[in-house]
Amino acid sequence: MKIKMKTYNITIPIKYNDGTKIEKAKIDQTFDDIRNEFGECSWTTVKGIWESDGVVYYDKSYRVSVTTYDTKENDRWFINFGKILENRLRQIKIYITQSKETPLT
């Protein structure tokens, strides 16, 4: 039997929408929350550009990845966590994507 796995990717901004830097403690807490729930996470730094209500934003973010079991409970956790992060990091939207994975080993 193959184990069903899923990778979740969360884009975590480094700056608030007004351009000021998000406090390191809030970023660290975000990584700790994920690690405490799933035992691990990895991230890379990415640059992006996006628009909302006619305002163009240039930003630098962390792309956080977690590969874990494909369960409804994990989906719910990430949906709820996105809402927590929108408040914690004062963001219009936190984007979380998912992709199904098939382990090779």
Side-chain angles (χ1 to χ4, degrees):
M1 180 174 102
K2 288 188 178 182
I3 298 172
K4 293 183 179 184
M5 303 293 288
K6 188 182 284 186
T7 297
Y8 297 89
N9 292 296
I10 309 171
T11 302
I12 306 292
I14 294 173
K15 293 182 178 181
Y16 294 111
N17 290 331
D18 68 4
T20 59
K21 191 170 183 177
I22 294 174
E23 297 84 353
K24 183 179 181 315
K26 289 184 178 182
I27 300 295
D28 290 346
Q29 180 63 53
T30 299
F31 292 145
D32 286 344
D33 289 345
I34 296 167
R35 183 187 49 79
N36 288 337
E37 184 68 23
F38 298 100
E40 60 86 22
C41 68
S42 58
W43 64 89
T44 58
T45 304
V46 296
K47 292 180 181 180
I49 181 173
W50 58 282
E51 183 177 341
S52 178
D53 296 326
V55 178
V56 176
Y57 298 89
Y58 295 86
D59 59 18
K60 193 187 257 188
S61 304
Y62 295 112
R63 175 74 42 82
V64 182
S65 296
V66 177
T67 300
T68 189
Y69 298 106
D70 183 1
T71 67
K72 293 290 183 195
E73 293 80 14
N74 287 340
D75 286 348
R76 282 191 290 272
W77 189 90
F78 278 100
I79 290 167
N80 183 60
F81 192 57
K83 293 173 187 172
I84 291 168
L85 292 179
E86 286 170 2
N87 289 320
R88 179 185 295 167
L89 306 176
R90 299 191 324 247
Q91 296 297 301
I92 295 167
K93 185 74 176 160
I94 293 289
Y95 289 95
I96 302 174
T97 61
Q98 60 183 345
S99 59
K100 297 200 183 263
E101 305 293 339
T102 304
L104 296 175
T105 57

